[in-house]
Amino acid sequence: MISELAAEPAAPSAPRPRAWVAPLVSSLVTLPGAFLAWTAVGTDAAPVFGWGLTVALLTLATAWLLPWEERFVARRRGFSVAAPFAVAATYLLYLVLVDWP
């Protein structure tokens, strides 16, 4: 027990050199997709549709704002993949819920 306490502390996690790639690719897909989905909806359901896009943009922001360390790589990739799918899910939900003539 005491020998464990006397041992050297663990080295801080080194920054990941290409941790920015997943959020960048996600941004290049999510932002134009959100813009196209927003223009397709128009003003009919803009307030409700806006909440779904807010979730997608917050997911994308989380992918960018996670610390650039090795232990957060899986979380960053997960948020980066989830952001475009949140846009697609919001648009599909809009298509299902709207009463088309």
Side-chain angles (χ1 to χ4, degrees):
M1 175 82 174
I2 295 191
S3 62
E4 292 174 7
L5 295 175
E8 291 184 27
S13 181
R16 179 90 176 185
R18 290 183 296 259
W20 53 270
V21 173
L24 178 66
V25 171
S26 181
S27 295
L28 293 175
V29 173
T30 302
L31 296 177
F35 177 74
L36 290 174
W38 184 266
T39 56
V41 169
T43 59
D44 295 339
V48 175
F49 193 75
W51 284 107
L53 293 182
T54 301
V55 169
L57 294 177
L58 287 176
T59 305
L60 182 62
T62 303
W64 278 107
L65 295 175
L66 280 171
W68 301 98
E69 297 175 1
E70 182 73 31
R71 63 184 175 146
F72 292 106
V73 169
R75 291 181 192 153
R76 179 174 291 106
R77 286 182 186 159
F79 283 115
S80 297
V81 168
F85 282 112
V87 171
T90 301
Y91 186 69
L92 290 175
L93 183 65
Y94 168 75
L95 291 177
V96 170
L97 291 178
V98 170
D99 187 23
W100 296 101

